Amino acid sequence: MRLTDTGDLWWKTAVVYCLDIETFMDFNDDGVGDFEGLAHRIDYLAELGVTCLWLMPFYPTPGRDDGYDIIDFYGVDSRLGHHGDLVEVLRTAKDRGMRVIADLVVNHTSDQHPWFKASRSSKDNPFRDFYVWRDEIPPNAPTNVFPDKEDGVWQLDEKTGQYYLHNFYRHQPDLNLANPKVRDEIAKVIGYWMQLGFSGFRVDAVPFLKQDGDPGVDPHELLRSLRKYLTRRAGDSVLLGEVNLPFEEQYAFFGGEAADELTMQFDFVGMQKLYLSLARQDARPLADSLRERPVLAQESQWANFVRNHDELTLDKLSEAERMEVFEAFAPDEGMRVFDRGIRRRLPTMLAGDPRHVRMVYSILFSLPGTPVIFYGEEIGMGENLEQAGRLAVRTPMQWNAAANGGFSRARSRRLVAPVTPDGFGPAHVNAADQRSDPDSLLSFFEKLIRRYRASVEIGWGELTIIDAGVDCVLVHAVQGQEGRMIAVHNFSSDPQEIEFALPDGMGPNAELVELLRDGGVVADEKGRVSIALDAFDHRWLRVHDGDDKRLS
Ligand code: GLC
């Protein structure tokens, strides 16, 4: 790989930033964030170092699943602006060097979508087969994704006496993806947004695309054809899949070696093991999952994340492990949701300890893969537990210490969601204050992102987990043709002294330059390095040799 390849496979060294238009910035002061507001914050994101925006659903919606219930795949929710405003965002982002991807939610629609209204109107309606209908509930029906509200995935529709499939809420009927007409519609939707200037999609709910039983759908075949179609239209566009499955199945959803399905996938397993490691102050669960993570084809990439807009799901941990994480980070029942997840953001879970928070983001940006951040993470926003369920972490972005955190000048009761109260509220946590403070979390993120972008081996290189002889410390190396670095993370609240051997090839007497602070470390003649770590310390060390012409 040459440095210049990073411009082609841009997603391998990207910084992805997820936001919901309605909670980001309200320009017309009606209490709801809008495209114009986002346009005015593009420079903030560019300065932070974001290279790819992921826009959560902005389509017309009855809003019963925060926009993941869509009534028009080609539309723009009028509360947020119109198509023209969206195009202005795309254009401004492009000018600032940022790509934009959209949420593609095609597993289901809202029950208010005209297709479903037609489909349920009679058994012989031409749209009947756009959804999955059965005379009876099939045996072994899976459980619903939202067990707090739904007790199954089949809903009887009185009018025609048949059941329709809904893996999510009952107001989100699953599309019949086995129907070629539905597939054609999906392709057209993709083509439409690509034509407007999007660079790809975050694909919602991938494991559910298979649907149920007879006729069923081969989701791999579906994704292969969508990927082919997408890259025919724009060769460097991406599909970033939400696939919360074991590694083996994820590997298949990349298309394995052929790499012809999803371009990127979130590492849900790694994320959950990270929290287990944090709860135990023991790096081994995370280290093990990194070792087990399949090595991907060159075009494919892992998307690493610490939090997203949903619950922090712990479904891939054992019951006992889940309880450990719950006890550490969600001690009250009200902080949990669906019996499997936590509805909090990171800083509150870590009791606001800046060393701990920084160490976690340092891990995120140093792990092989591409980091994805959820708006507000860069300033350390907390959650509002008074909001129902997953909405707790979807509060308005906190821009400054003014009323409503500078998100909107509407009366606070008109806001789309109340701002986070108390200690993590805008008076204490906001972007404006942090921009002028070189020691703030925001400044730390900016530095981290600069270093990450200049260390392309993180996105491209090979991973080695190094034994540091201490369970609470993770030492990992990433080596690419264009660079080599070592990252050290202390999961413990106690200082540690560690000594480890550099992997082969990094050599004796190697000079290691600190990337996140001044100074450096030199390996001894046997290639061994000794480092003293503070509590929750984090270090990025670039192996410096004569051939490395990067500016440090
Ligand atoms: C995905 C989204 C989630 C949504 C669900 C149904 O899991 O991340 O927010 O509720 O799909 O579309």
Side-chain angles (χ1 to χ4, degrees):
M1 162 258 175
R2 296 165 306 170
L3 183 77
T4 44
D5 293 337
T6 57
D8 294 332
L9 274 57
W10 59 268
W11 56 91
K12 295 201 63 139
T13 46
V15 176
V16 182
Y17 188 97
C18 167
L19 66 90
D20 194 356
I21 311 281
E22 68 173 11
T23 49
F24 201 59
M25 180 66 202
D26 174 17
F27 203 71
N28 63 2
D29 289 323
D30 65 352
V32 183
D34 41 44
F35 281 105
E36 222 179 333
L38 171 57
H40 282 80
R41 287 294 184 261
I42 292 283
D43 283 314
Y44 163 84
L45 297 167
E47 275 169 40
L48 175 60
V50 171
T51 68
C52 178
L53 291 182
W54 152 22
L55 303 184
M56 286 169 64
F58 48 76
Y59 315 100
T61 173
R64 296 183 69 193
D65 185 14
D66 209 19
Y68 284 89
D69 46 331
I70 296 169
I71 55 176
D72 177 5
F73 285 129
Y74 297 100
V76 168
D77 185 340
S78 58
R79 298 173 316 141
L80 314 178
H82 54 63
H83 286 82
D85 301 316
L86 164 62
V87 168
E88 292 301 301
V89 163
L90 293 174
R91 169 139 186 89
T92 313
K94 187 173 180 191
D95 177 66
R96 309 302 200 269
M98 265 182 267
R99 290 178 167 86
V100 186
I101 63 173
D103 234 300
L104 182 71
V105 190
V106 291
N107 174 70
H108 47 266
T109 66
S110 158
D111 62 357
Q112 299 306 305
H113 194 293
W115 293 343
F116 189 69
K117 287 188 178 170
S119 179
R120 80 194 316 183
S121 66
S122 75
K123 280 187 181 174
D124 52 11
N125 186 282
F127 285 94
R128 185 66 173 180
D129 284 345
F130 266 48
Y131 296 85
V132 186
W133 294 96
R134 295 283 180 275
D135 287 329
E136 279 165 24
I137 298 182
N140 308 322
T143 50
N144 193 285
V145 178
F146 301 128
D148 62 329
K149 294 275 184 320
E150 303 290 351
D151 55 12
V153 299
W154 293 97
Q155 177 65 28
L156 179 66
D157 202 38
E158 300 286 346
K159 181 151 186 219
T160 53
Q162 281 192 316
Y163 295 83
Y164 65 84
L165 178 67
H166 63 94
N167 275 292
F168 296 89
Y169 295 115
R170 73 185 64 180
H171 58 75
Q172 290 166 311
D174 280 35
L175 280 165
N176 177 11
L177 301 169
N179 181 345
K181 285 191 190 148
V182 171
R183 289 178 176 223
D184 284 352
E185 291 290 345
I186 293 174
K188 226 189 292 175
V189 167
I190 288 179
Y192 177 78
W193 295 111
M194 293 298 294
Q195 195 71 27
L196 276 192
F198 281 91
S199 294
F201 302 90
R202 177 259 188 192
V203 189
D204 191 61
V206 171
F208 301 94
L209 303 178
K210 67 177 172 0
Q211 300 187 329
D212 240 36
D214 188 28
V217 171
D218 176 0
H220 298 286
E221 193 256 311
L222 174 64
L223 288 169
R224 268 196 298 276
S225 71
L226 291 181
R227 174 79 179 275
K228 216 182 208 169
Y229 169 80
L230 181 78
T231 49
R232 233 176 13 240
R233 298 242 163 151
D236 67 347
S237 47
V238 296
L239 294 176
L240 162 57
E242 184 202 22
V243 190
N244 180 8
L245 291 176
F247 284 141
E248 219 175 71
E249 289 172 66
Q250 284 198 289
Y251 187 64
F253 274 113
F254 279 112
E257 262 176 60
D260 56 358
E261 296 185 30
L262 296 166
T263 330
M264 305 169 82
Q265 287 178 57
F266 295 102
D267 180 358
F268 276 96
V269 175
M271 181 278 291
Q272 301 185 38
K273 296 289 182 177
L274 166 68
Y275 280 95
L276 185 60
S277 276
L278 292 170
R280 289 184 179 167
Q281 302 204 0
D282 180 344
R284 287 175 301 173
L286 175 60
D288 290 343
S289 91
L290 288 169
R291 278 195 206 94
E292 286 158 19
R293 202 160 81 154
V295 176
L296 305 178
Q298 194 178 55
E299 297 82 355
S300 307
Q301 181 66 310
W302 292 107
N304 298 316
F305 69 109
V306 166
R307 283 299 287 114
N308 65 12
H309 62 288
D310 286 324
E311 78 281 9
L312 188 183
T313 181
L314 301 169
D315 67 336
K316 296 287 175 289
L317 301 181
S318 71
E319 181 66 36
E321 290 170 340
R322 192 163 36 250
M323 287 317 293
E324 277 180 70
V325 179
F326 273 156
E327 273 155 30
F329 301 131
D332 300 342
E333 194 58 44
M335 298 168 172
R336 307 175 190 173
V337 65
F338 309 140
D339 286 332
R340 61 166 184 256
I342 298 178
R343 50 192 212 100
R344 306 183 80 187
R345 284 181 178 251
L346 180 77
T348 51
M349 288 190 273
L350 301 184
D353 184 337
R355 300 166 307 172
H356 213 175
V357 171
R358 286 169 199 221
M359 172 255 189
V360 172
Y361 287 111
S362 167
I363 294 178
L364 176 71
F365 279 83
S366 68
L367 289 181
T370 294
V372 181
I373 47 185
F374 180 50
Y375 76 92
E377 285 195 275
E378 74 278 18
I379 55 171
M381 272 171 55
E383 67 282 344
N384 184 349
L385 288 173
E386 279 164 23
Q387 292 299 96
R390 295 170 295 161
L391 296 179
V393 300
R394 302 179 188 176
T395 57
M397 176 68 184
Q398 297 170 192
W399 294 108
N400 58 37
N404 304 329
F407 160 70
S408 170
R409 286 182 302 183
R411 287 207 192 140
S412 52
R413 61 184 162 73
R414 291 189 64 204
L415 296 192
V416 64
V419 291
T420 295
D422 309 329
F424 285 86
H428 308 281
V429 176
N430 71 69
D433 289 352
Q434 293 193 24
R435 259 154 78 91
S436 51
D437 175 1
D439 296 323
S440 65
L441 183 62
L442 182 61
S443 299
F444 174 74
F445 259 80
E446 285 174 5
K447 182 165 195 180
L448 210 48
I449 292 177
R450 251 192 339 268
R451 294 310 200 193
Y452 159 82
R453 290 281 286 166
S455 305
V456 294
E457 63 268 40
I458 298 174
W460 284 76
E462 269 174 42
L463 169 74
T464 315
I465 307 282
I466 299 173
D467 182 9
V470 186
D471 294 341
C472 59
V473 178
L474 177 70
V475 182
H476 73 275
V478 277
Q479 310 189 63
Q481 255 171 14
E482 283 280 352
R484 299 174 295 168
M485 71 169 255
I486 307 271
V488 181
H489 292 96
N490 181 12
F491 281 73
S492 165
S493 48
D494 294 324
Q496 306 291 328
E497 302 263 346
I498 58 161
E499 194 189 311
F500 60 88
L502 291 177
D504 290 347
M506 289 194 179
N509 306 316
E511 201 189 316
L512 305 171
V513 182
E514 295 271 7
L515 291 183
L516 298 176
R517 60 173 80 177
D518 293 337
V521 184
V522 178
D524 68 13
E525 66 283 359
K526 291 196 189 118
R528 294 189 73 79
V529 174
S530 306
I531 299 182
L533 298 166
D534 292 333
F536 303 129
D537 213 348
H538 60 273
R539 309 284 275 271
W540 287 25
L541 300 159
R542 175 180 292 167
V543 183
H544 188 69
D545 62 34
D547 291 337
D548 193 333
K549 297 203 171 57
R550 284 180 293 187
L551 289 171
S552 41

